[in-house]
Amino acid sequence: MRNPKRLMAATTLGSEALVVFFATLVAYGLVPMEQRSSTYLVVGGVLVLLCLLAAGMLRRRGGYALGWVLQVVIVAGGFVVPLMFAVGGVFAVIWICSIVIGTRIEREQAEVARRMAQE
């Protein structure tokens, strides 16, 4: 049986990786051509990789901790691309729902399995 919390959280982080990738391109494109450096691309690339790494690490608590940190960092990306306050906020809410609802489903599955074992 698949772990619903891990599946939902990994899907959220994978989707966030795509959003961060495109937000990185937007941030890079907003800088005038004469002032462009690779800083936005490097930071954005690292965030994309961290999202994917966290999604892969969700078998351990460290993956969830990294996921929480990434939610804060991505919302803070709104200081660079203001729309990220809204987009990052929506993903933070999705992340919280994934954790809460996934945990509830896990608990209910364990209860059903326990009842079936008693029969």
mmCIF file of all heavy atoms in Angstrom, residues 54 68 78 89 98:
data_model
loop_
_atom_site.group_PDB
_atom_site.id
_atom_site.type_symbol
_atom_site.label_atom_id
_atom_site.label_comp_id
_atom_site.label_asym_id
_atom_site.label_seq_id
_atom_site.Cartn_x
_atom_site.Cartn_y
_atom_site.Cartn_z
ATOM 1 N N ALA A 54 14.027 16.994 -1.778
ATOM 2 C CA ALA A 54 13.098 16.828 -0.658
ATOM 3 C C ALA A 54 12.016 15.811 -1.007
ATOM 4 O O ALA A 54 11.649 14.974 -0.172
ATOM 5 C CB ALA A 54 12.466 18.169 -0.286
ATOM 6 N N TRP A 68 9.324 21.832 4.584
ATOM 7 C CA TRP A 68 8.824 22.996 5.326
ATOM 8 C C TRP A 68 9.713 24.217 5.091
ATOM 9 O O TRP A 68 9.214 25.333 4.902
ATOM 10 C CB TRP A 68 8.744 22.687 6.822
ATOM 11 C CG TRP A 68 7.568 21.845 7.198
ATOM 12 C CD1 TRP A 68 7.603 20.531 7.557
ATOM 13 C CD2 TRP A 68 6.198 22.232 7.239
ATOM 14 N NE1 TRP A 68 6.325 20.089 7.815
ATOM 15 C CE2 TRP A 68 5.448 21.110 7.633
ATOM 16 C CE3 TRP A 68 5.533 23.423 6.976
ATOM 17 C CZ2 TRP A 68 4.058 21.151 7.778
ATOM 18 C CZ3 TRP A 68 4.146 23.457 7.110
ATOM 19 C CH2 TRP A 68 3.434 22.342 7.503
ATOM 20 N N GLY A 78 8.877 36.023 -3.178
ATOM 21 C CA GLY A 78 8.052 37.165 -3.544
ATOM 22 C C GLY A 78 8.788 38.484 -3.464
ATOM 23 O O GLY A 78 8.380 39.472 -4.087
ATOM 24 N N GLY A 89 2.356 31.158 -1.499
ATOM 25 C CA GLY A 89 1.366 30.999 -0.436
ATOM 26 C C GLY A 89 0.374 29.890 -0.747
ATOM 27 O O GLY A 89 0.027 29.093 0.122
ATOM 28 N N SER A 98 -1.615 18.688 2.320
ATOM 29 C CA SER A 98 -1.045 17.375 2.003
ATOM 30 C C SER A 98 -0.608 16.655 3.266
ATOM 31 O O SER A 98 -0.850 15.454 3.421
ATOM 32 C CB SER A 98 0.162 17.534 1.075
ATOM 33 O OG SER A 98 -0.217 18.056 -0.156
#
